[in-house]
Structure formats: C-alpha cells, structure tokens
Amino acid sequence: IILGRYGGFRQSEWCQTSQSIAMTRPSLALPVQEPLAFIPSDFAFFDSAGRPLPDIEDDSVDMVELTWRFQKNSNNGERIPFKRDYSSPDLCPVLAAVRIRRRAARLGIHSASTLA
C-alpha cells in the first residue's frame, strides 16, 4: 500500500487477482510469457552515492528503482526511482520496497514469481 501510494500502480502491476498468474501474451517483441505483476528482479536498490546494493540493509539503502516491464501505455521497461524519506520512515517508499523484497526472500519466492 505504501509503495503504491507513491507509484500509483494498477492492480495488474502489483498483484495477481487469482491463484493463477496473469501472464503476457507472446509477441515479436516478447516471445516468452512473463508475469504481469512485479517480480523480485524489478527492484534495484542503491546507496546514497548511487551504487547498486547487492544486499539490502535498511541503513545503507537510499533509493529504489522499480522497472515497469509492462505498461498499458506501452512504455515498457521504464525505470522509476524513489528516494528514501528520512523524515517519515513509516511512509517511506524505499523502506516499503525493502520490506517487500525481504518478505519475498523469507517466503522463498522464486525470482520469476510475482511478489503479491
């Protein structure tokens, strides 16, 4: 909910509406099917110097970039950055993304599986 507040996600971008996973239709641009909703690899974390972070630690994460692999407007692959909100950690989009990724890891969600 917190991350969606900043990103304005459509339901199909952040979750599945049933037990079956909604997949893309194969096309010339994308010959294989992929989940429509966010998967772990759609999240990239960075420190305050803009360096990618392989391990997610609350103290070092300053920014997250989300990749919209598929969009209704066909602007597929767009990467949107979100900066950390140090003044409101409870509503911070970066810390929300950290929690989402950690939960996925704890639950053993495969890298090509949807996060919600």
Side-chain angles (χ1 to χ4, degrees), residues 1-60:
I1 300 291
I2 293 169
L3 194 54
R5 174 180 175 231
Y6 289 89
F9 308 139
R10 291 180 177 89
Q11 184 178 18
S12 65
E13 293 168 336
W14 71 272
C15 73
Q16 301 296 316
T17 57
S18 69
Q19 291 287 7
S20 61
I21 297 175
M23 303 291 277
T24 60
R25 293 188 187 125
S27 66
L28 290 176
L30 186 68
V32 296
Q33 289 186 311
E34 292 186 23
L36 290 173
F38 287 121
I39 60 175
S41 61
D42 292 333
F43 290 70
F45 296 91
F46 301 89
D47 66 13
S48 59
R51 294 180 297 242
L53 294 170
D55 296 317
I56 305 167
E57 298 296 330
D58 283 351
D59 295 337
S60 58

Side-chain angles (χ1 to χ4, degrees), residues 14-113:
W14 71 272
C15 73
Q16 301 296 316
T17 57
S18 69
Q19 291 287 7
S20 61
I21 297 175
M23 303 291 277
T24 60
R25 293 188 187 125
S27 66
L28 290 176
L30 186 68
V32 296
Q33 289 186 311
E34 292 186 23
L36 290 173
F38 287 121
I39 60 175
S41 61
D42 292 333
F43 290 70
F45 296 91
F46 301 89
D47 66 13
S48 59
R51 294 180 297 242
L53 294 170
D55 296 317
I56 305 167
E57 298 296 330
D58 283 351
D59 295 337
S60 58
V61 177
D62 185 66
M63 183 178 76
V64 63
E65 276 187 357
L66 292 181
T67 300
W68 269 257
R69 288 175 293 112
F70 311 103
Q71 294 192 72
K72 190 174 179 180
N73 64 9
S74 296
N75 195 8
N76 300 335
E78 183 176 15
R79 297 184 66 84
I80 307 291
F82 296 92
K83 286 289 279 177
R84 187 165 175 172
D85 185 350
Y86 290 93
S87 63
S88 300
D90 291 340
L91 297 175
C92 175
V94 173
L95 294 179
V98 167
R99 289 190 297 273
I100 290 168
R101 281 293 304 273
R102 284 187 177 161
R103 185 179 312 113
R106 188 174 61 249
L107 295 173
I109 293 177
H110 186 269
S111 63
S113 295

